[in-house]
């Protein structure tokens, strides 16, 4: 048929298909505002799926209760909480001194995490006496150290009581080695900081040059320092309860001078600490975490605060003690999960290898990457020996005027 000619009239009815209106969700006015939101939702769904968190709200959550000393800093960290939630675990902690936690009602807890061996031994012996089981894990460690300020550290150096650890890159020293035996001699003599010529560094302090501690009745750090003072004072350990009582009375003035307050580690990180507690017993991770935060926030280290490392090795063996199946599961997780182990390192802890026997070199690498100097801890030849637990308990009671745990 020629182009342009009309169709012949056959007399048959014709059928014309008319396309209906588009569904509202395909209309352009709907797609324009909705499509970006839909893409975001799809991307979020994919992210949840790949991270295994999609069904997290639908899975049961295990609540684990524990008593924790200085290692509470770890469990109170937001990233640690998020990592534990991925394992469907929420940890509720009671922050207590290690010795205080050992004397608490263990039947209400899933775990305890004392900061040192003496308190851990109290827990284990108590469980054995009650015919109950427990598991012990060692996820990380943080040595006991003496925290001070640069003017006080340099004053000790000027009196031949301390030496600065070498530094690199023109940085001032942040770590010092302190000779504890001669320093204790100055304490026994009642010398003040002004007697040691603190004024040469622009400060004045008439207080006796002592080391401040937390409450020895509840704190492992304070009890550890007490063990150091007792060992150096006696050049050994007490032989019986009567001897422990006498030794406790002899060293009490070196730990609790008249008018000397019981302090908390937080005092060290505020301005008032420079005069009220110029040297205080803390854990290494508390200092390293402070410097890591300071570097991240201000681009430089806190040059006012430094650490003193005693020239004798202080025992510091934190032990995570699982009291229930849930507590045991958590202890194993802290020891083996790579993300939880890395976060512990980022908080300044020295992470143990999975066997719990030796500290891994991860912290050294992390500090170097973060441009925070690493303290040197080698060359220590003398190690403080702990007395038998009943004798240590007796000295703690005498020095702190405190009751036995659980009384």
């Amino acid at each position: 048929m020629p182009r342009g000619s009309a169709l012949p009239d056959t007399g048959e009815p014709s059928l014309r298909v008319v396309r209906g209106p588009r569904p509202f969700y395909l209309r352009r006015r709907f797609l324009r505002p909705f499509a970006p939101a839909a893409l975001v939702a799809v991307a979020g769904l994919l992210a949840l799926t790949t991270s295994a968190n999609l069904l997290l709200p639908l899975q049961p959550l295990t609540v684990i209760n524990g008593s924790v000393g200085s290692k509470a800093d770890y469990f109170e960290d937001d990233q640690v909480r998020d990592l534990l939630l991925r394992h469907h675990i929420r940890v509720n902690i009671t922050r207590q001194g290690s010795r205080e936690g050992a004397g608490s009602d263990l039947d209400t807890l899933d775990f305890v995490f004392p900061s040192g061996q003496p308190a851990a031994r109290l827990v284990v012996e108590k469980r054995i006496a009650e015919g109950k089981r427990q598991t012990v894990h060692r996820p990380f460690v943080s040595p006991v150290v003496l925290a001070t300020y640069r003017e006080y550290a340099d004053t000790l150096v000027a009196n031949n009581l301390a030496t600065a650890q070498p530094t690199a890159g023109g940085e001032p020293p942040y770590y010092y080695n302190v000779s504890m035996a001669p320093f204790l001699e100055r304490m026994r003599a009642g010398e003040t900081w002004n007697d040691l010529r603190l004024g040469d560094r622009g400060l004045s302090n008439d207080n006796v040059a002592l080391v401040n501690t937390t409450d020895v009745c509840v704190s492992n750090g304070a009890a550890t320092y007490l063990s150091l003072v007792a060992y150096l004072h006696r050049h050994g350990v007490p032989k019986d309860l009567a001897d422990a009582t006498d030794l406790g009375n002899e060293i009490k003035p070196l730990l609790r001078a008249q008018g000397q307050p019981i302090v908390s580690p937080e005092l060290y990180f505020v301005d008032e600490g420079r005069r009220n507690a110029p040297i205080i017993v803390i854990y290494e991770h508390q200092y390293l975490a402070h410097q890591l935060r300071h570097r991240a926030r201000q681009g430089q280290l806190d040059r006012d605060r430094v650490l003193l490392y005693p020239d004798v090795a202080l025992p510091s063996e934190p032990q995570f003690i699982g009291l229930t199946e849930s507590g045991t599961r958590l202890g194993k997780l802290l020891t083996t999960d790579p993300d939880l182990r890395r976060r512990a390192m980022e908080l300044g802890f020295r992470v143990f290898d999975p066997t719990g026997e030796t500290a891994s070199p991860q912290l050294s690498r992390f500090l170097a990457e973060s441009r925070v100097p690493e303290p040197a801890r080698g060359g220590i030849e003398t190690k403080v020996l702990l007395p038998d637990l009943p004798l240590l308990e007796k000295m703690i009671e005498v020095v702190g005027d405190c009751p036995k745990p659980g009384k």
Side-chain angles (χ1 to χ4, degrees), residues 71-107:
K71 308 308 176 280
D73 299 337
Y74 178 78
F75 292 101
E76 291 174 346
D77 177 69
D78 289 338
Q79 290 190 39
V80 170
R81 289 173 174 170
D82 290 342
L83 290 170
L84 289 173
L85 282 175
R86 294 183 187 180
H87 294 277
H88 322 299
I89 290 175
R90 186 177 70 212
V91 175
N92 294 333
I93 64 167
T94 300
R95 184 185 275 266
Q96 295 178 300
S98 295
R99 192 168 179 271
E100 184 180 16
S104 60
D105 183 4
L106 301 181
D107 290 335

Side-chain angles (χ1 to χ4, degrees), residues 6 13 47 63 71 90 142 145 151 162 187 202 212 223 238 240 243 252 256 282 289 318 342 350 378 406:
V63 179
K71 308 308 176 280
R90 186 177 70 212
S142 183
V145 293
E151 298 91 345
M187 296 183 197
N212 297 78
D240 53 37
D243 193 25
K252 188 172 183 177
R256 296 194 55 187
I282 69 169
R342 176 171 178 80
R350 297 181 180 271

